Protein backbone atom coordinates (compact mmCIF):
# COMPACT_ATOMS: atom_id res chain seq x y z
CA UNK A 1 0.00 0.00 0.00
CA UNK A 2 2.90 2.35 0.83
CA UNK A 3 4.31 1.37 -2.54
CA UNK A 4 1.09 2.16 -4.36
CA UNK A 5 0.69 5.54 -2.62
CA UNK A 6 4.34 6.29 -3.35
CA UNK A 7 3.82 5.46 -7.02
CA UNK A 8 0.74 7.67 -7.29
CA UNK A 9 2.48 10.48 -5.40
CA UNK A 10 5.51 10.40 -7.68
CA UNK A 11 3.17 10.16 -10.66
CA UNK A 12 1.37 13.30 -9.51
CA UNK A 13 4.65 15.14 -8.99
CA UNK A 14 5.89 14.33 -12.50
CA UNK A 15 2.45 15.18 -13.92
CA UNK A 16 2.74 18.58 -12.21
CA UNK A 17 6.23 19.08 -13.65
CA UNK A 18 5.36 18.01 -17.18
CA UNK A 19 2.11 20.01 -17.33
CA UNK A 20 3.92 23.12 -16.08
CA UNK A 21 6.61 22.48 -18.70
CA UNK A 22 4.16 21.75 -21.53
CA UNK A 23 2.17 24.90 -20.65
CA UNK A 24 5.07 26.76 -22.30
CA UNK A 25 3.84 25.42 -25.64
CA UNK A 26 0.49 27.21 -25.22
CA UNK A 27 -0.45 29.48 -28.13
CA UNK A 28 -2.14 32.06 -25.85
CA UNK A 29 -2.03 33.29 -22.27
CA UNK A 30 -5.49 31.84 -21.69
CA UNK A 31 -4.35 28.37 -22.79
CA UNK A 32 -1.22 28.68 -20.68
CA UNK A 33 -3.29 29.52 -17.61
CA UNK A 34 -5.65 26.57 -18.32
CA UNK A 35 -2.80 24.05 -18.52
CA UNK A 36 -1.06 25.58 -15.48
CA UNK A 37 -4.34 25.09 -13.58
CA UNK A 38 -4.19 21.38 -14.48
CA UNK A 39 -0.61 21.26 -13.17
CA UNK A 40 -1.67 22.93 -9.92
CA UNK A 41 -4.54 20.45 -9.48
CA UNK A 42 -2.07 17.53 -9.71
CA UNK A 43 0.13 19.09 -7.07
CA UNK A 44 -2.81 19.65 -4.72
CA UNK A 45 -3.60 15.91 -4.92
CA UNK A 46 0.02 15.09 -4.14
CA UNK A 47 -0.17 16.94 -0.82
CA UNK A 48 -2.94 14.65 0.50
CA UNK A 49 -0.97 11.56 -0.46
CA UNK A 50 2.16 12.78 1.33
CA UNK A 51 0.14 13.41 4.49
CA UNK A 52 -1.35 9.90 4.33
CA UNK A 53 2.08 8.33 3.82
CA UNK A 54 3.36 10.10 6.94
CA UNK A 55 0.26 8.92 8.87
CA UNK A 56 1.11 5.36 7.81
CA UNK A 57 4.57 5.80 9.30
CA UNK A 58 6.35 5.87 5.94
CA UNK A 59 8.97 8.28 4.64
CA UNK A 60 7.01 9.71 1.70
CA UNK A 61 10.12 10.66 -0.26
CA UNK A 62 11.64 7.19 0.07
CA UNK A 63 8.29 5.74 -1.04
CA UNK A 64 8.32 7.97 -4.11
CA UNK A 65 11.94 7.39 -5.05
CA UNK A 66 11.42 3.76 -6.04
CA UNK A 67 9.25 4.93 -8.92
CA UNK A 68 11.44 7.69 -10.30
CA UNK A 69 12.92 5.59 -13.07
CA UNK A 70 9.64 4.33 -14.54
CA UNK A 71 7.89 7.70 -14.60
CA UNK A 72 10.94 9.64 -15.73
CA UNK A 73 11.42 7.23 -18.63
CA UNK A 74 7.77 7.50 -19.60
CA UNK A 75 8.06 11.28 -19.75
CA UNK A 76 11.43 11.20 -21.55
CA UNK A 77 9.87 8.99 -24.24
CA UNK A 78 6.71 11.07 -24.59
CA UNK A 79 7.90 14.65 -24.82
CA UNK A 80 5.20 16.54 -26.76
CA UNK A 81 6.43 18.11 -30.01
CA UNK A 82 3.77 20.82 -29.93
CA UNK A 83 0.82 22.21 -28.00
CA UNK A 84 -1.66 19.64 -29.33
CA UNK A 85 0.51 16.69 -28.38
CA UNK A 86 0.78 18.27 -24.93
CA UNK A 87 -3.01 18.54 -24.68
CA UNK A 88 -3.52 14.89 -25.71
CA UNK A 89 -0.86 13.74 -23.28
CA UNK A 90 -2.49 15.68 -20.44
CA UNK A 91 -5.89 14.21 -21.21
CA UNK A 92 -5.04 10.65 -22.23
CA UNK A 93 -2.14 10.16 -19.83
CA UNK A 94 -4.02 11.50 -16.85
CA UNK A 95 -7.10 9.42 -17.69
CA UNK A 96 -5.10 6.25 -18.14
CA UNK A 97 -3.18 6.70 -14.89
CA UNK A 98 -6.41 7.42 -13.02
CA UNK A 99 -8.11 4.30 -14.42
CA UNK A 100 -5.16 2.12 -13.52
CA UNK A 101 -4.88 3.38 -9.94
CA UNK A 102 -8.63 3.10 -9.42
CA UNK A 103 -8.47 -0.56 -10.48
CA UNK A 104 -5.67 -1.25 -8.02
CA UNK A 105 -7.33 0.78 -5.26
CA UNK A 106 -10.21 -1.72 -5.25
CA UNK A 107 -7.81 -4.12 -3.52
CA UNK A 108 -6.97 -1.72 -0.66
CA UNK A 109 -8.60 -0.67 2.63
CA UNK A 110 -11.53 1.76 2.40
CA UNK A 111 -9.75 4.83 3.81
CA UNK A 112 -6.81 4.60 1.44
CA UNK A 113 -9.13 3.80 -1.45
CA UNK A 114 -11.19 6.94 -0.81
CA UNK A 115 -8.06 9.05 -0.67
CA UNK A 116 -6.82 7.63 -3.97
CA UNK A 117 -10.15 8.14 -5.69
CA UNK A 118 -10.22 11.75 -4.43
CA UNK A 119 -6.62 12.29 -5.57
CA UNK A 120 -7.59 11.17 -9.03
CA UNK A 121 -10.75 13.23 -9.35
CA UNK A 122 -10.84 15.23 -12.54
CA UNK A 123 -11.06 18.88 -11.56
CA UNK A 124 -13.17 19.59 -14.63
CA UNK A 125 -10.28 20.73 -16.80
CA UNK A 126 -10.85 18.08 -19.44
CA UNK A 127 -13.66 19.96 -21.20
CA UNK A 128 -11.05 22.54 -22.11
CA UNK A 129 -8.80 19.90 -23.74
CA UNK A 130 -11.63 18.31 -25.75
CA UNK A 131 -12.74 21.71 -27.02
CA UNK A 132 -9.24 22.80 -28.04
CA UNK A 133 -8.36 19.53 -29.80
CA UNK A 134 -11.64 19.35 -31.70
CA UNK A 135 -11.27 22.99 -32.84
CA UNK A 136 -7.68 22.28 -33.94
CA UNK A 137 -8.77 19.33 -36.09
CA UNK A 138 -11.50 21.41 -37.71
CA UNK A 139 -8.88 24.00 -38.69
CA UNK A 140 -6.38 21.39 -39.91
CA UNK A 141 -7.86 17.93 -40.62
CA UNK A 142 -4.40 16.33 -41.05
CA UNK A 143 -3.82 17.01 -37.34
CA UNK A 144 -6.31 14.22 -36.50
CA UNK A 145 -4.16 11.50 -38.07
CA UNK A 146 -0.98 12.62 -36.36
CA UNK A 147 -2.66 12.92 -32.96
CA UNK A 148 -4.29 9.48 -33.31
CA UNK A 149 -0.80 7.97 -33.74
CA UNK A 150 0.44 9.99 -30.78
CA UNK A 151 -2.38 8.64 -28.62
CA UNK A 152 -1.43 5.06 -29.51
CA UNK A 153 2.19 5.78 -28.67
CA UNK A 154 1.23 7.20 -25.26
CA UNK A 155 -0.79 4.05 -24.52
CA UNK A 156 2.09 1.80 -25.56
CA UNK A 157 4.68 3.68 -23.49
CA UNK A 158 2.41 3.71 -20.44
CA UNK A 159 1.86 -0.06 -20.62
CA UNK A 160 5.57 -0.74 -21.14
CA UNK A 161 6.57 1.32 -18.10
CA UNK A 162 3.75 -0.01 -15.92
CA UNK A 163 4.80 -3.57 -16.68
CA UNK A 164 8.43 -2.79 -15.86
CA UNK A 165 7.56 -1.14 -12.58
CA UNK A 166 5.29 -4.03 -11.57
CA UNK A 167 7.99 -6.56 -12.40
CA UNK A 168 10.58 -4.70 -10.33
CA UNK A 169 8.44 -4.06 -7.29
CA UNK A 170 7.71 -7.20 -5.34
CA UNK A 171 5.08 -5.50 -3.23
CA UNK A 172 3.01 -4.54 -6.25
CA UNK A 173 3.33 -8.04 -7.64
CA UNK A 174 2.25 -9.44 -4.28
CA UNK A 175 -0.73 -7.11 -4.30
CA UNK A 176 -1.79 -8.41 -7.69
CA UNK A 177 -1.22 -11.98 -6.50
CA UNK A 178 -3.52 -11.45 -3.51
CA UNK A 179 -3.01 -12.51 0.11
CA UNK A 180 -4.70 -14.09 3.11
CA UNK A 181 -7.01 -11.13 3.66
CA UNK A 182 -7.88 -10.11 0.10
CA UNK A 183 -8.68 -11.71 -3.23
CA UNK A 184 -5.91 -12.30 -5.71
CA UNK A 185 -5.94 -10.71 -9.10
CA UNK A 186 -5.72 -13.83 -11.27
CA UNK A 187 -4.90 -13.87 -14.94
CA UNK A 188 -8.54 -13.71 -15.96
CA UNK A 189 -9.14 -10.70 -13.70
CA UNK A 190 -5.97 -9.08 -15.01
CA UNK A 191 -7.03 -9.53 -18.60
CA UNK A 192 -10.49 -8.08 -17.81
CA UNK A 193 -8.76 -5.12 -16.18
CA UNK A 194 -6.69 -4.46 -19.28
CA UNK A 195 -9.79 -4.76 -21.43
CA UNK A 196 -11.45 -2.04 -19.32
CA UNK A 197 -8.36 0.19 -19.51
CA UNK A 198 -8.22 -0.16 -23.31
CA UNK A 199 -11.93 0.50 -23.64
CA UNK A 200 -11.75 3.69 -21.57
CA UNK A 201 -8.73 4.82 -23.58
CA UNK A 202 -10.67 4.28 -26.83
CA UNK A 203 -13.57 6.28 -25.37
CA UNK A 204 -11.27 9.18 -24.47
CA UNK A 205 -9.71 9.20 -27.94
CA UNK A 206 -13.18 9.24 -29.42
CA UNK A 207 -14.19 12.17 -27.14
CA UNK A 208 -11.27 14.04 -28.67
CA UNK A 209 -12.49 13.17 -32.16
CA UNK A 210 -9.58 10.75 -32.73
CA UNK A 211 -9.30 7.11 -33.82
CA UNK A 212 -7.72 4.88 -31.18
CA UNK B 1 -6.41 49.48 -11.32
CA UNK B 2 -7.04 46.97 -14.12
CA UNK B 3 -3.44 47.62 -15.11
CA UNK B 4 -2.14 46.94 -11.64
CA UNK B 5 -4.16 43.74 -11.24
CA UNK B 6 -3.03 42.63 -14.70
CA UNK B 7 0.60 43.25 -13.75
CA UNK B 8 0.29 41.28 -10.51
CA UNK B 9 -1.59 38.46 -12.28
CA UNK B 10 1.07 38.15 -14.98
CA UNK B 11 3.73 38.38 -12.28
CA UNK B 12 2.09 35.46 -10.42
CA UNK B 13 1.88 33.41 -13.63
CA UNK B 14 5.57 33.89 -14.42
CA UNK B 15 6.45 33.21 -10.78
CA UNK B 16 4.55 29.91 -11.05
CA UNK B 17 6.37 29.05 -14.28
CA UNK B 18 9.83 29.93 -12.99
CA UNK B 19 9.41 28.19 -9.64
CA UNK B 20 8.15 25.04 -11.39
CA UNK B 21 11.15 25.28 -13.73
CA UNK B 22 13.67 26.02 -10.97
CA UNK B 23 12.32 23.09 -8.91
CA UNK B 24 14.18 20.90 -11.43
CA UNK B 25 17.42 22.11 -9.85
CA UNK B 26 16.42 20.62 -6.47
CA UNK B 27 19.00 18.22 -4.99
CA UNK B 28 16.31 15.96 -3.46
CA UNK B 29 12.69 14.99 -3.96
CA UNK B 30 11.79 16.74 -0.72
CA UNK B 31 13.31 20.00 -1.94
CA UNK B 32 11.59 19.61 -5.31
CA UNK B 33 8.22 19.15 -3.61
CA UNK B 34 8.85 22.21 -1.39
CA UNK B 35 9.62 24.48 -4.35
CA UNK B 36 6.72 23.03 -6.37
CA UNK B 37 4.46 23.92 -3.42
CA UNK B 38 5.67 27.53 -3.71
CA UNK B 39 4.84 27.45 -7.44
CA UNK B 40 1.36 26.11 -6.72
CA UNK B 41 0.74 28.84 -4.11
CA UNK B 42 1.52 31.52 -6.71
CA UNK B 43 -0.93 29.98 -9.15
CA UNK B 44 -3.67 29.84 -6.52
CA UNK B 45 -3.27 33.59 -5.96
CA UNK B 46 -3.51 34.17 -9.70
CA UNK B 47 -6.98 32.59 -9.84
CA UNK B 48 -8.45 35.17 -7.42
CA UNK B 49 -6.99 38.02 -9.46
CA UNK B 50 -8.46 36.68 -12.72
CA UNK B 51 -11.91 36.45 -11.11
CA UNK B 52 -11.65 40.06 -9.85
CA UNK B 53 -10.57 41.30 -13.30
CA UNK B 54 -13.63 39.65 -14.87
CA UNK B 55 -15.85 41.22 -12.16
CA UNK B 56 -14.41 44.61 -13.09
CA UNK B 57 -15.47 44.00 -16.69
CA UNK B 58 -11.90 43.54 -17.97
CA UNK B 59 -10.47 40.85 -20.23
CA UNK B 60 -7.95 39.37 -17.79
CA UNK B 61 -5.67 38.05 -20.53
CA UNK B 62 -5.53 41.40 -22.32
CA UNK B 63 -4.76 43.04 -18.96
CA UNK B 64 -1.90 40.60 -18.41
CA UNK B 65 -0.45 40.84 -21.90
CA UNK B 66 0.75 44.42 -21.51
CA UNK B 67 3.21 43.21 -18.90
CA UNK B 68 4.65 40.20 -20.67
CA UNK B 69 7.76 41.99 -21.90
CA UNK B 70 8.86 43.41 -18.54
CA UNK B 71 8.44 40.20 -16.58
CA UNK B 72 9.81 37.94 -19.31
CA UNK B 73 12.93 40.11 -19.54
CA UNK B 74 13.38 40.06 -15.79
CA UNK B 75 13.27 36.26 -15.80
CA UNK B 76 15.49 35.95 -18.88
CA UNK B 77 18.12 38.10 -17.12
CA UNK B 78 17.91 36.25 -13.81
CA UNK B 79 17.99 32.57 -14.70
CA UNK B 80 19.41 30.76 -11.65
CA UNK B 81 22.65 28.87 -12.33
CA UNK B 82 22.00 26.39 -9.53
CA UNK B 83 19.62 25.38 -6.78
CA UNK B 84 20.81 28.04 -4.32
CA UNK B 85 20.39 30.86 -6.80
CA UNK B 86 16.89 29.52 -7.41
CA UNK B 87 16.11 29.57 -3.69
CA UNK B 88 17.35 33.16 -3.31
CA UNK B 89 15.39 34.26 -6.34
CA UNK B 90 12.21 32.66 -4.98
CA UNK B 91 12.66 34.35 -1.61
CA UNK B 92 14.05 37.74 -2.55
CA UNK B 93 12.10 38.16 -5.80
CA UNK B 94 8.80 37.19 -4.24
CA UNK B 95 9.39 39.45 -1.23
CA UNK B 96 10.36 42.41 -3.37
CA UNK B 97 7.35 42.03 -5.66
CA UNK B 98 5.02 41.69 -2.67
CA UNK B 99 6.44 44.85 -1.02
CA UNK B 100 6.11 46.85 -4.22
CA UNK B 101 2.52 45.82 -4.89
CA UNK B 102 1.53 46.45 -1.27
CA UNK B 103 2.92 49.98 -1.54
CA UNK B 104 0.90 50.64 -4.69
CA UNK B 105 -2.22 48.95 -3.29
CA UNK B 106 -2.40 51.65 -0.60
CA UNK B 107 -3.62 54.00 -3.35
CA UNK B 108 -6.52 51.72 -4.44
CA UNK B 109 -10.06 51.03 -3.20
CA UNK B 110 -10.41 48.83 -0.11
CA UNK B 111 -11.81 45.73 -1.84
CA UNK B 112 -9.06 45.55 -4.45
CA UNK B 113 -6.46 46.36 -1.82
CA UNK B 114 -7.61 43.44 0.35
CA UNK B 115 -7.50 41.08 -2.62
CA UNK B 116 -3.97 42.17 -3.49
CA UNK B 117 -2.74 41.80 0.07
CA UNK B 118 -4.29 38.30 0.21
CA UNK B 119 -2.74 37.39 -3.16
CA UNK B 120 0.65 38.36 -1.79
CA UNK B 121 0.40 36.53 1.51
CA UNK B 122 3.37 34.33 2.19
CA UNK B 123 2.10 30.77 2.51
CA UNK B 124 4.79 30.01 5.05
CA UNK B 125 7.22 28.51 2.55
CA UNK B 126 9.95 30.99 3.30
CA UNK B 127 11.17 29.23 6.44
CA UNK B 128 12.21 26.39 4.16
CA UNK B 129 14.32 28.72 1.99
CA UNK B 130 16.05 30.40 4.94
CA UNK B 131 16.90 27.01 6.45
CA UNK B 132 18.30 25.59 3.21
CA UNK B 133 20.39 28.64 2.34
CA UNK B 134 21.86 28.95 5.84
CA UNK B 135 22.73 25.24 5.88
CA UNK B 136 24.35 25.58 2.43
CA UNK B 137 26.57 28.44 3.61
CA UNK B 138 27.65 26.49 6.68
CA UNK B 139 28.75 23.64 4.39
CA UNK B 140 30.50 25.95 1.90
CA UNK B 141 31.28 29.45 3.23
CA UNK B 142 32.27 30.73 -0.24
CA UNK B 143 28.63 30.28 -1.29
CA UNK B 144 27.71 33.30 0.87
CA UNK B 145 29.77 35.72 -1.23
CA UNK B 146 28.39 34.48 -4.52
CA UNK B 147 24.78 34.56 -3.31
CA UNK B 148 25.19 38.07 -1.88
CA UNK B 149 26.20 39.28 -5.36
CA UNK B 150 23.28 37.37 -6.87
CA UNK B 151 20.85 39.09 -4.46
CA UNK B 152 22.14 42.49 -5.52
CA UNK B 153 21.75 41.57 -9.16
CA UNK B 154 18.13 40.47 -8.58
CA UNK B 155 17.38 43.81 -6.89
CA UNK B 156 18.98 45.74 -9.77
CA UNK B 157 17.10 43.83 -12.47
CA UNK B 158 13.80 44.18 -10.64
CA UNK B 159 14.19 47.96 -10.31
CA UNK B 160 15.24 48.31 -13.96
CA UNK B 161 12.22 46.42 -15.23
CA UNK B 162 9.79 48.09 -12.82
CA UNK B 163 10.96 51.52 -14.00
CA UNK B 164 10.57 50.52 -17.65
CA UNK B 165 7.08 49.17 -17.12
CA UNK B 166 6.02 52.29 -15.20
CA UNK B 167 7.40 54.58 -17.92
CA UNK B 168 5.55 52.66 -20.65
CA UNK B 169 2.20 52.40 -18.91
CA UNK B 170 0.44 55.75 -18.66
CA UNK B 171 -2.12 54.38 -16.21
CA UNK B 172 0.53 53.39 -13.70
CA UNK B 173 2.21 56.75 -14.08
CA UNK B 174 -1.13 58.48 -13.56
CA UNK B 175 -1.67 56.41 -10.44
CA UNK B 176 1.65 57.56 -9.05
CA UNK B 177 0.86 61.15 -10.03
CA UNK B 178 -2.45 61.04 -8.10
CA UNK B 179 -5.85 62.39 -9.16
CA UNK B 180 -8.89 64.33 -8.00
CA UNK B 181 -9.98 61.60 -5.59
CA UNK B 182 -6.69 60.34 -4.21
CA UNK B 183 -3.36 61.75 -3.08
CA UNK B 184 -0.48 61.93 -5.51
CA UNK B 185 2.71 60.08 -4.91
CA UNK B 186 5.14 62.99 -5.01
CA UNK B 187 8.89 62.67 -5.34
CA UNK B 188 9.39 62.71 -1.58
CA UNK B 189 6.82 59.92 -1.12
CA UNK B 190 8.41 57.98 -3.97
CA UNK B 191 11.84 58.23 -2.44
CA UNK B 192 10.48 57.13 0.96
CA UNK B 193 8.86 54.16 -0.79
CA UNK B 194 12.16 53.12 -2.37
CA UNK B 195 13.87 53.51 0.99
CA UNK B 196 11.35 51.09 2.51
CA UNK B 197 11.78 48.60 -0.37
CA UNK B 198 15.55 48.67 0.00
CA UNK B 199 15.35 48.30 3.76
CA UNK B 200 13.07 45.25 3.51
CA UNK B 201 15.36 43.74 0.88
CA UNK B 202 18.35 44.19 3.20
CA UNK B 203 16.36 42.54 6.00
CA UNK B 204 15.56 39.52 3.79
CA UNK B 205 19.19 39.14 2.73
CA UNK B 206 20.21 39.28 6.38
CA UNK B 207 17.58 36.60 7.25
CA UNK B 208 19.32 34.41 4.69
CA UNK B 209 22.68 35.12 6.31
CA UNK B 210 23.84 37.27 3.37
CA UNK B 211 25.23 40.79 2.99
CA UNK B 212 23.03 43.06 0.91
Amino acid sequence: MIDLLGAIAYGELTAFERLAEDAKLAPSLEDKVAMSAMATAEFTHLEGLLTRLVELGADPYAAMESFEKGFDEFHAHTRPADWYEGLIKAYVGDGLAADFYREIAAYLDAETRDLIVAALADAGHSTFVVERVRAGIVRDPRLGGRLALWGRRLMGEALTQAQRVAAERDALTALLAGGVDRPSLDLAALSRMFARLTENHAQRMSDLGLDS
Side-chain angles (χ1 to χ4, degrees), chain A:
Chain A
M1 187 162 68
I2 305 267
D3 252 13
L4 183 63
L5 291 175
I8 302 182
Y10 192 72
E12 299 273 12
L13 179 62
T14 61
F16 163 80
E17 287 183 278
R18 302 315 309 176
L19 288 166
E21 176 78 24
D22 297 344
K24 292 180 193 161
L25 300 166
S28 72
L29 264 183
E30 188 173 358
D31 287 336
K32 185 184 271 190
V33 167
M35 193 170 272
S36 303
M38 294 169 75
T40 300
E42 301 284 355
F43 192 83
T44 312
H45 297 154
L46 169 63
E47 290 179 324
L49 295 168
L50 296 181
T51 307
R52 180 76 183 137
L53 279 163
V54 171
E55 277 169 16
L56 292 167
D59 172 346
Y61 302 103
M64 289 163 80
E65 264 161 21
S66 330
F67 300 98
E68 281 191 64
K69 196 164 157 265
F71 282 100
D72 290 357
E73 279 189 9
F74 171 75
H75 289 296
H77 292 170
T78 57
R79 218 175 277 280
D82 65 7
W83 169 242
Y84 286 104
E85 290 193 3
L87 282 176
I88 304 283
K89 183 175 170 183
Y91 187 73
V92 162
D94 194 60
L96 198 57
D99 279 351
F100 179 69
Y101 293 134
R102 255 189 231 106
E103 293 277 352
I104 302 286
Y107 294 83
L108 301 176
D109 68 278
E111 192 178 347
T112 309
R113 183 165 61 239
D114 291 349
L115 179 75
I116 290 177
V117 171
L120 300 172
D122 181 325
H125 300 295
S126 50
T127 325
F128 152 78
V129 175
V130 171
E131 211 180 271
R132 287 296 192 276
V133 172
R134 286 187 166 267
I137 295 171
V138 167
R139 263 197 311 275
D140 175 10
R142 286 170 311 171
L143 189 63
R146 176 159 70 85
L147 293 180
L149 287 176
W150 173 243
R152 257 168 269 170
R153 188 156 140 228
L154 288 171
M155 180 68 165
E157 283 289 344
L159 290 180
T160 306
Q161 293 303 333
Q163 202 175 2
R164 256 186 224 170
V165 168
E168 275 172 24
R169 302 296 300 171
D170 290 347
L172 281 182
T173 313
L175 181 79
L176 298 181
V180 280
D181 56 343
R182 59 197 152 61
S184 79
L185 196 63
D186 61 18
L187 269 185
L190 206 63
S191 102
R192 281 196 301 275
M193 182 179 106
F194 276 106
R196 284 190 298 270
L197 290 177
T198 315
E199 220 167 89
N200 287 348
H201 173 69
Q203 181 58 52
R204 273 188 293 270
M205 291 297 279
S206 143
D207 291 343
L208 293 165
L210 299 172
D211 295 330
S212 58

